Amino acid sequence: MNDVKYSYDQINFHKTFAPQDSYLTAVMELASQGFAGTKEEISEITGIPTGKTSGKVVPHILYAQYMGLTTHTLANSKYTLSLTELGKLVLDNDKYLFEDISRFICHFNMADSDNGALLWAFIYDGISILPGESVAEETVKRKCSDFFQVKADISPIKKAYSDDGFFASLDLLDFQEGLTLQSHYYSDNFLYAYAYTLLKTWEKKYPNTQEITSDHILQTMRWNKRIGFDEDETLYALEQMEERNLVSLNKQLIPYTVIKRANSADVLPHIYELLN
């Protein structure tokens, strides 16, 4: 049983709405201007629908923040929006979020246990399945609701990863027969995205540590799980990062260790460089 008390709105911030690329773009554009206004004003400017009690403006402000693209403050019913460094890069290189590499990083951040969406993070951190494994959807719902002690609506997650949903092209989660974490192979086009997400997670979990073991990556950070890598694919990805001098590996130790040779801020500007 989890002792932390969560509100219904914390868990179900999405208000049943899955993320939409055009609305995320609109939020980023306002954030690039340092815009401050009510949800009604944001709706009027962007065309994102909203109402007094529901609507898509606030969920998309939160989606953009959980994806690591923007930040916001709320005071006197006014949202003040700002772009993150990642958001600036995405807006400059893939404004309409068409590239899978952009969506991949958004997915990775959404599932972050510290700064992401609680329900998304629980799918990866609170349910004991590995890439390639499945669990019944009712089990997922029950585990989520038991942990948060509120009824958790996972339908926006299903929509986001299915059919033409925002994350569907990544093929990371499959809901056809329960919930399946899809297995994935390393893609060289994503090398800097892999490195960025690894180093960013490392810097949050172990800010003063330059060398960690593979167990830290696989069992504590669970970096590979959000990507769909098994242990072998994780090692292969790390070897590719080593070739770029982003990390070094010491395979003489068991478990092997990983030495940090770059910071996430160094890697961020290169994310789109390897796209064909």
Side-chain angles (χ1 to χ4, degrees):
M1 183 71 69
N2 182 27
D3 293 331
V4 179
K5 299 295 183 185
Y6 297 98
S7 71
Y8 182 86
D9 286 342
Q10 271 183 295
I11 307 308
N12 300 293
F13 74 93
H14 42 66
K15 308 293 186 188
T16 75
F17 303 117
Q20 293 179 237
D21 48 14
S22 60
Y23 295 163
L24 293 168
T25 296
V27 172
M28 283 195 293
E29 287 182 319
L30 286 183
S32 71
Q33 304 162 22
F35 179 84
T38 65
K39 65 177 183 176
E40 291 81 10
E41 290 168 334
I42 293 171
S43 176
E44 186 175 344
I45 292 168
T46 62
I48 304 173
T50 196
K52 288 187 176 180
T53 59
S54 187
K56 297 185 179 182
V57 169
V58 175
H60 278 82
I61 289 172
L62 293 170
Y63 272 128
Q65 177 154 316
Y66 293 145
M67 290 176 183
L69 302 171
T70 65
T71 59
H72 77 274
T73 58
L74 174 61
N76 301 317
S77 299
K78 287 200 170 189
Y79 293 86
T80 301
L81 307 174
S82 303
L83 271 184
T84 63
E85 291 304 310
L86 173 63
K88 292 175 186 176
L89 183 80
V90 172
L91 198 59
D92 287 343
N93 289 272
D94 186 24
K95 176 178 178 178
Y96 298 106
L97 297 161
F98 290 155
E99 297 287 354
D100 279 351
I101 200 166
S102 303
R103 297 184 182 215
F104 163 74
I105 295 176
C106 289
H107 151 82
F108 190 92
N109 289 336
M110 279 291 294
D112 182 77
S113 57
D114 296 317
N115 303 112
L118 292 170
L119 200 52
W120 252 264
F122 187 79
I123 293 290
Y124 281 92
D125 288 343
I127 298 175
S128 299
I129 53 174
L130 296 173
E133 296 180 346
S134 303
V135 64
E137 186 174 324
E138 287 306 313
T139 300
V140 175
K141 293 177 181 177
R142 177 178 52 77
K143 284 181 175 289
C144 289
S145 296
D146 286 350
F147 182 81
F148 294 115
Q149 291 297 291
V150 297
K151 186 176 181 181
D153 181 6
I154 68 168
S155 63
I157 299 179
K158 289 179 64 176
K159 293 175 190 172
Y161 291 88
S162 305
D163 300 326
D164 59 349
F166 183 71
F167 296 120
S169 60
L170 302 176
D171 193 31
L172 289 163
L173 297 179
D174 185 273
F175 286 89
Q176 292 184 44
E177 296 181 10
L179 167 66
T180 303
L181 298 190
Q182 300 286 62
S183 295
H184 275 264
Y185 293 110
Y186 168 88
S187 169
D188 197 52
N189 291 348
F190 278 44
L191 171 63
Y192 287 118
Y194 297 144
Y196 172 75
T197 54
L198 173 70
L199 295 170
K200 190 78 172 176
T201 307
W202 185 333
E203 288 156 6
K204 283 191 296 184
K205 294 289 187 185
Y206 308 106
N208 301 311
T209 305
Q210 292 298 112
E211 184 173 12
I212 59 177
T213 70
S214 57
D215 284 351
H216 287 108
I217 292 173
L218 295 163
Q219 298 174 18
T220 307
M221 291 163 54
R222 288 190 283 272
W223 167 80
N224 60 302
K225 192 174 179 182
R226 283 185 257 172
I227 299 170
F229 287 170
D230 62 15
E231 290 189 31
D232 290 341
E233 209 63 22
T234 299
L235 175 57
Y236 183 76
L238 291 169
E239 289 171 339
Q240 302 312 301
M241 294 181 207
E242 184 175 38
E243 288 191 7
R244 302 270 179 165
N245 201 35
L246 302 174
V247 300
S248 297
L249 304 180
N250 186 344
K251 299 178 191 174
Q252 295 179 326
L253 298 176
I254 301 177
Y256 65 86
T257 65
V258 185
I259 302 159
K260 196 166 175 275
R261 298 295 185 197
N263 297 317
S264 62
D266 302 326
V267 175
L268 179 62
H270 301 286
I271 282 175
Y272 292 95
E273 283 184 7
L274 298 177
L275 294 186
N276 294 326

